[in-house]
Amino acid sequence: MRDLGAGFGYLLKGQRWVARHGKQYGFGLIPGLVTLVLYAAALVALALWGQDFVAWSTPFADDWSSPWQGLFRGFLTAVLFALGLLLSVVTFTAVTLLIGQPFYENLSEKVDRDVSPDGTVPESGLPLWRELWISGLDSLRIVLRAALWGVLLFALGFVPVVGQTVVPVIGVVVTGFFLAEELTAVALQRRRVELRDRLTLLRSRKTLVWGFGTPLAAAFLVPFVAVFLMPGAVAGATLMARELMGEETEEEGAEANAPGGETVSW
């Protein structure tokens, strides 16, 4: 339970950090706004032409009598839009991080420098194009994993009672884990931690990761919230990545050196 609270604490610390650094927060909003416009356009297109797509893809139902044809295709249209909405929630962070790689990389570096006792910042030593390539491949792998979970949970959603109570909660928890992975990747990639090792690292502290990612996943379900929380989420994930890697922060150093063990916050 302590890790659960610590994970949520990193989420709050990240939001406080960007609140104190307004310029970084402003730049961090740009990728989220761009992604939001793209996703909104895609969902509007799906709402407008989803029914036409379903009709085109189910020619075998052309001769069905009323009302079965309308009910069948209406159900498939609703399923299609629900899947699109679910995938948009799951993939929003990955796409935003990919679009905003230079913005969030800079933000993460500044957080590292701010809390590092000696002011050093880990660097990958890779050129930007190489970092973008690795980030894109890793994001695609995570999105595919998340999509498989999404399809499974969507299917389980039709199970009576359980599908309307337990499954949505599991869905938010699973989404929270993948969100935490995508966000910590910004800091961990600079430390040359590959995807497989990142997943192993996160699984070793699942309660910490859930404490950070689950409330964030729940908040991301609210329209526009993801855009405004994203910069602080990157900052908080950087702080959490430091703990996962066993790196001391300025806060921890101050606590260790404080007379009588007093807590000194940064």
Side-chain angles (χ1 to χ4, degrees):
M1 291 302 293
R2 180 180 179 276
D3 262 2
L4 200 65
F8 184 65
Y10 282 123
L11 182 59
L12 296 180
K13 287 179 181 180
Q15 301 303 324
R16 288 201 298 266
W17 192 91
V18 295
R20 296 197 306 269
H21 299 77
K23 184 177 180 180
Q24 294 301 314
Y25 179 68
F27 280 119
L29 289 176
I30 296 174
L33 291 171
V34 172
T35 308
L36 180 64
V37 170
L38 294 175
Y39 271 56
L43 289 173
V44 168
L46 191 60
L48 292 175
W49 293 293
Q51 190 170 7
D52 294 336
F53 174 78
V54 169
W56 170 81
S57 60
T58 56
F60 56 86
D62 287 344
D63 298 327
W64 288 13
S65 61
S66 180
W68 304 116
Q69 183 193 81
L71 289 173
F72 175 69
R73 286 178 169 170
F75 172 75
L76 289 183
T77 301
V79 168
L80 180 65
F81 186 80
L83 277 174
L85 193 60
L86 176 64
L87 288 176
S88 69
V89 172
V90 171
T91 61
F92 184 88
T93 302
V95 174
T96 302
L97 289 174
L98 188 61
I99 292 174
Q101 177 76 10
F103 295 90
Y104 295 134
E105 189 73 31
N106 182 263
L107 189 155
S108 180
E109 287 179 2
K110 282 183 165 48
V111 173
D112 264 326
R113 183 175 291 108
D114 189 41
V115 302
S116 175
D118 56 4
T120 58
V121 178
E123 296 180 0
S124 66
L126 299 174
L128 178 60
W129 71 268
R130 180 64 177 168
E131 289 183 350
L132 289 172
W133 176 255
I134 294 173
S135 178
L137 288 179
D138 287 350
S139 295
L140 180 60
R141 294 185 184 117
I142 290 297
V143 166
L144 289 176
R145 289 170 184 256
L148 290 175
W149 272 98
V151 171
L152 175 62
L153 291 172
F154 184 81
L156 291 175
F158 292 100
V159 178
V161 182
V162 174
Q164 292 74 49
T165 54
V166 179
V167 172
V169 175
I170 296 175
V172 174
V173 172
V174 170
T175 302
F177 181 88
F178 285 119
L179 281 178
E181 193 288 325
E182 292 164 354
L183 290 163
T184 53
V186 178
L188 293 176
Q189 281 177 356
R190 280 192 289 107
R191 291 161 169 81
R192 302 296 291 271
V193 182
E194 296 183 357
L195 176 60
R196 181 176 298 179
D197 296 326
R198 290 204 305 270
L199 290 172
T200 300
L201 188 63
L202 293 173
R203 286 167 184 153
S204 69
R205 300 285 299 277
K206 285 194 287 285
T207 312
L208 178 72
V209 173
W210 287 335
F212 178 87
T214 302
L216 191 62
F220 276 19
L221 293 173
V222 181
F224 306 112
V225 168
V227 175
F228 297 102
L229 291 185
M230 185 65 78
V234 172
T238 302
L239 296 173
M240 187 169 70
R242 293 184 66 89
E243 176 171 335
L244 290 169
M245 295 296 292
E247 298 173 4
E248 187 182 35
T249 67
E250 190 177 25
E251 177 185 16
E252 292 168 347
E255 289 176 359
N257 297 323
E262 288 183 29
T263 298
V264 179
S265 60
W266 48 270

